[in-house]
């Protein structure tokens, strides 16, 4: 049987899609716009794409045994990336992950806050749209062309996460023949976001004139459909990182035709609509960082400031209006719950706060829901608390009583243990060491120390929620900079908004790029020395 039916049960509703022999369940779902998290890119290593096979159960593979215990396997739990149905089947996908995802759209601006005001929306003669494409999430804001104010903001998951949690996984997927799938996925996500914006203020695309998009270089390449073959290998050359303008219909025509939620909202009407992809600096310091530098006012500051974007690819910059040094370091997905044994995204039930006294553990979760796993901030707090209570030593070795099964943090409603394992400790050591070493290398190359830094801006959702004292306690951030550090929120979205509302923004971005220099870290001796030093806990 070459083709067969897959009945997908999710959120109390059913949908039937077509599968084909030799295709993984994960690929079949993605081909019908049903996306599961797959931090490892569908290689059976992360355990995040679990589904329950109700009928048509597939064989149990070794990867399934690594993530599900015997009772779960008997109930039909399987990794979608390792399941290859041969005939009709029914599967159950757990809900709550996407609907509850906590996505940060607030941002800090050197000029003004990110106030949102829908009451005057009807008085606007037209709108622009600002978009941030993050590796994990997407945020879009509707901007009044008359008022220059944010009228409404929407957020959603970047469904490319079905192809991997980080940019390296996405690059690999693109180079393995999935470039068009990845491009189609992000264009669909952006179009649906814009439909949601317009529906919220009861208007349509005829009143839109410009769409400004910021994102890292890989996200920009996947959006545009550029080859990623030179992004992931030395000397890491992008196809194009200059400001790029394309007509709306060319970019989103197919997404509009395939949309099930547009409900008559036309893709294009009236005057042409321009889609502008903002410029970047290099293959790994993209438009999201340029936008962040813009909205934090680096080009107008005499003080030396630092911007750090703590995501799967830790990007950072140090400088002022005279000189800016930038770099990027492979932090990995630990800050977003990836590669963590009980890790998950920032969704309802994700443990985000942890206090440990002896063996007693107190947890707080997103949405105050029952605990399901650990998000990035929970990972930081677990590491800090275990270090404080001396359950792990300065080398990162977990106490022998918990070495095999991990330190128990909580129980899920199903009675499953949420634990912090020795492997999890190593993951956070690698991530925090990469970020701290990158920062110290930039400061060294700039010729300054921490005491010379006026402000540190932490960009992104992870930095927005993070306990700064605990982050410094494990050595992620310099303790002496705590009083000068602030969570800046979604500075990428803020920069895209500023591009649309500040007449000087185009020139300011050109200035930022002109004075910016990237410091490569791969063969930097000082970075490698710092990396080994900061692998230890302070």
């Amino acid at each position: 049987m070459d083709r067969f039916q897959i009945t997908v049960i999710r959120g109390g509703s059913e949908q039937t899609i077509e599968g084909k022999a030799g295709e993984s369940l994960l690929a079949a779902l993605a081909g019908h716009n049903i996306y599961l998290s797959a931090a490892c890119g569908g290689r059976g290593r992360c355990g995040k794409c679990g589904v329950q096979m109700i009928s048509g159960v597939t064989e149990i593979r070794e990867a399934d045994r690594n993530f599900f215990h015997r009772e779960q396997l008997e109930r039909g739990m399987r990794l979608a990336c390792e399941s290859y149905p041969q005939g009709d089947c029914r599967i159950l996908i757990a809900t709550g992950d996407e609907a509850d995802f906590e996505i940060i759209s607030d941002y800090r601006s050197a000029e003004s806050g990110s106030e949102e005001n829908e009451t005057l929306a009807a008085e606007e003669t037209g709108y622009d749209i600002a978009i941030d494409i993050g590796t994990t999430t997407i945020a879009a804001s509707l901007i009044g062309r008359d008022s220059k104010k944010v009228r409404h903001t929407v957020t959603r998951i970047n469904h490319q996460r079905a192809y991997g949690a980080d940019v390296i996984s996405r690059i690999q997927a693109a180079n393995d023949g999935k470039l068009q799938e990845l491009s189609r996925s992000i264009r669909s996500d952006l179009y649906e976001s814009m439909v949601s914006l317009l529906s919220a203020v009861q208007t349509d695309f005829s009143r839109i004139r410009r769409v400004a998009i910021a994102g890292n270089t890989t996200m920009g390449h996947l959006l545009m459909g550029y080859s990623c073959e030179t992004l992931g290998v030395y000397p890491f050359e992008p196809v194009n990182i200059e400001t790029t303008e394309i007509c709306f219909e060319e970019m989103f025509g197919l997404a509009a035709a395939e949309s099930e939620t547009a409900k008559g909202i036309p893709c294009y009407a009236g005057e042409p609509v321009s889609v502008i992809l903002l410029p970047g600096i290099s293959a790994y310091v993209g438009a999201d960082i340029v936008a962040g530098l813009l909205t934090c006012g680096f080009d107008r500051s005499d003080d030396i400031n630092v911007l750090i974007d703590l995501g799967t690819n830790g990007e950072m910059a140090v400088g002022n209006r005279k000189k800016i040094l930038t770099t990027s370091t492979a932090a990995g997905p630990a800050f977003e719950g990836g590669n963590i044994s009980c890790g998950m995204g920032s969704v309802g039930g994700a443990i985000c706060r942890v206090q440990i006294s002896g063996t007693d553990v107190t947890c707080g979760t997103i949405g105050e829901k029952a605990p399901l796993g650990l998000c990035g901030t929970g990972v930081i707090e677990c590491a800090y608390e275990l270090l404080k209570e001396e359950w792990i030593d300065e080398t990162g070795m977990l106490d022998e009583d918990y070495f095999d099964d991990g330190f128990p943090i909580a129980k899920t409603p199903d009675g499953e243990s949420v634990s912090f394992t020795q492997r999890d400790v190593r993951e956070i050591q690698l991530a925090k060491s990469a970020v701290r070493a990158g920062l110290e290398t930039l400061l060294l190359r700039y010729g300054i120390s921490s005491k010379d830094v006026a402000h540190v801006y932490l960009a992104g959702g992870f930095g927005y929620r993070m306990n700064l004292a605990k982050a410094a306690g494990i050595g992620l951030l310099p303790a002496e900079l705590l009083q000068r550090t602030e969570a800046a929120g979604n500075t990428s979205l803020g920069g895209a908004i500023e591009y649309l509302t500040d007449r000087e923004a185009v020139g300011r971005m050109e200035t930022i790029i002109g004075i910016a220099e990237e410091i490569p870290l791969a063969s930097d001796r000082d970075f490698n020395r710092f990396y080994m030093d900061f692998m230890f806990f302070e």
Side-chain angles (χ1 to χ4, degrees):
M1 182 183 295
D2 292 334
R3 297 185 180 275
F4 47 84
Q5 302 297 307
I6 301 173
T7 301
V8 182
I9 305 171
R10 181 175 54 166
S13 63
E14 292 189 9
Q15 177 183 353
T16 300
I17 65 174
E18 186 177 75
K20 57 185 178 182
E23 180 181 52
S24 74
L25 185 56
L26 182 69
L29 292 170
H32 291 83
N33 297 323
I34 302 173
Y35 299 98
L36 301 179
S37 178
C40 66
R43 293 177 172 81
R45 298 173 184 168
C46 70
K48 306 302 183 186
C49 64
V51 299
Q52 184 177 359
M53 305 290 296
I54 297 175
S55 65
V57 178
T58 59
E59 66 176 295
I60 299 174
R61 295 176 175 256
E62 187 62 30
D64 296 319
R65 298 184 191 278
N66 291 336
F67 295 101
F68 303 118
H69 56 64
R70 181 172 58 83
E71 291 81 3
Q72 290 175 310
L73 293 172
E74 290 175 352
R75 294 203 308 267
M77 292 301 299
R78 301 288 187 273
L79 296 180
C81 67
E82 290 287 305
S83 296
Y84 292 84
Q86 299 300 311
D88 293 351
C89 60
R90 290 171 62 85
I91 67 169
L92 174 66
I93 298 176
T95 60
D97 182 46
E98 183 168 326
D100 292 342
F101 215 103
E102 185 179 64
I103 304 172
I104 299 300
S105 59
D106 292 339
Y107 65 94
R108 181 258 183 221
S109 172
E111 302 300 323
S112 61
S114 59
E115 296 180 3
E116 187 168 317
N117 183 349
E118 298 177 51
T119 60
L120 301 177
E123 299 177 12
E124 303 284 359
T125 59
Y127 302 98
D128 292 328
I129 295 176
I131 298 176
D132 162 54
I133 305 177
T135 308
T136 305
T137 60
I138 294 164
S141 291
L142 190 69
I143 316 299
R145 289 179 64 84
D146 300 319
S147 66
K148 309 299 183 186
K149 297 292 186 181
V150 175
R151 294 307 180 203
H152 192 65
T153 297
V154 298
T155 59
R156 66 187 291 122
I157 295 300
N158 183 340
H159 286 110
Q160 288 179 340
R161 67 187 182 135
Y163 301 89
D166 53 33
V167 295
I168 300 300
S169 300
R170 309 273 174 89
I171 289 171
Q172 185 63 53
N175 294 340
D176 287 343
K178 297 178 180 177
L179 175 59
Q180 295 307 312
E181 294 176 35
L182 286 156
S183 181
R184 172 172 159 263
S185 173
I186 190 58
R187 292 188 183 197
S188 176
D189 279 343
L190 297 192
Y191 183 75
E192 296 297 336
S193 296
M194 290 185 286
V195 168
S196 296
L197 279 178
L198 299 178
S199 297
V201 296
Q202 299 180 336
T203 190
D204 59 42
F205 283 107
S206 66
R207 298 183 69 192
I208 301 300
R209 291 295 170 265
R210 293 182 298 168
V211 179
I213 301 173
N216 66 51
T217 303
T218 301
M219 295 302 102
H221 274 50
L222 297 177
L223 174 67
M224 299 300 295
Y226 295 153
S227 169
C228 295
E229 292 182 358
T230 60
L231 277 185
V233 294
Y234 185 83
F236 310 108
E237 295 181 349
V239 172
N240 180 22
I241 53 174
E242 296 181 358
T243 303
T244 302
E245 188 169 343
I246 186 173
C247 77
F248 188 95
E249 194 168 21
E250 181 179 351
M251 177 72 82
F252 297 112
L254 179 60
E258 294 179 342
S259 174
E260 296 180 0
T261 61
K263 297 179 180 178
I265 296 179
C267 169
Y268 170 75
E271 298 180 26
V273 179
S274 294
V275 179
I276 304 116
L277 186 62
L278 301 186
I281 293 172
S282 69
Y284 287 100
V285 181
D288 52 346
I289 299 303
V290 175
L293 293 170
L294 176 75
T295 200
C296 289
F298 272 57
D299 59 307
R300 292 175 171 172
S301 176
D302 290 318
D303 293 330
I304 298 175
N305 303 310
V306 169
L307 174 69
I308 304 175
D309 189 342
L310 289 172
T312 56
N313 202 51
E315 299 145 323
M316 58 196 75
V318 56
N320 58 13
R321 64 183 183 85
K322 296 179 180 179
K323 182 176 76 169
I324 297 173
L325 295 184
T326 68
T327 197
S328 174
T329 181
F335 294 144
E336 296 180 349
N339 288 354
I340 301 298
S341 56
C342 294
M344 61 190 301
S346 299
V347 303
I351 296 170
C352 56
R353 298 184 304 279
V354 179
Q355 287 187 322
I356 300 175
S357 178
T359 56
D360 295 329
V361 183
T362 303
C363 297
T365 65
I366 293 176
E368 303 303 323
K369 296 185 177 181
L372 298 175
L374 289 162
C375 66
T377 52
V379 170
I380 292 286
E381 299 217 357
C382 279
Y384 172 81
E385 292 289 329
L386 290 172
L387 183 67
K388 171 178 67 72
E389 294 297 306
E390 299 184 350
W391 292 118
I392 56 177
D393 63 22
E394 64 176 11
T395 71
M397 182 68 72
L398 192 59
D399 185 274
E400 62 180 9
D401 289 344
Y402 303 105
F403 188 85
D404 292 330
D405 299 322
F407 191 95
I409 302 299
K411 289 280 188 181
T412 72
D414 294 333
E416 299 291 330
S417 177
V418 177
S419 300
F420 199 68
T421 69
Q422 180 64 69
R423 191 190 75 175
D424 298 337
V425 177
R426 296 305 184 208
E427 286 292 332
I428 195 60
Q429 282 182 278
L430 291 169
K432 71 100 174 180
S433 179
V435 170
R436 182 66 182 276
L439 174 59
E440 296 293 340
T441 303
L442 276 191
L443 295 177
L444 181 65
R445 291 289 174 268
Y446 208 91
I448 61 172
S449 65
S450 295
K451 65 182 177 58
D452 301 308
V453 174
H455 302 285
V456 178
Y457 303 109
L458 294 183
F462 178 69
Y464 199 81
R465 294 179 293 261
M466 186 172 64
N467 183 307
L468 298 181
K470 292 185 178 182
I474 66 169
L476 174 60
L477 300 172
E480 59 269 25
L481 286 177
L482 274 185
Q483 299 304 314
R484 287 167 275 166
T485 299
E486 66 176 272
N490 193 333
T491 58
S492 178
L493 179 64
I497 292 171
E498 200 151 342
Y499 177 89
L500 294 169
T501 57
D502 180 358
R503 292 182 179 179
E504 298 180 358
V506 173
R508 292 179 59 199
M509 279 191 166
E510 292 175 354
T511 296
I512 288 170
I513 293 171
I515 63 174
E517 176 188 350
E518 183 184 22
I519 304 298
L521 299 178
S523 59
D524 190 292
R525 291 184 179 181
D526 290 308
F527 171 76
N528 290 326
R529 173 172 57 85
F530 285 133
Y531 186 76
M532 296 306 298
D533 289 344
F534 288 108
M535 191 71 71
F536 292 90
F537 289 110
E538 296 184 344

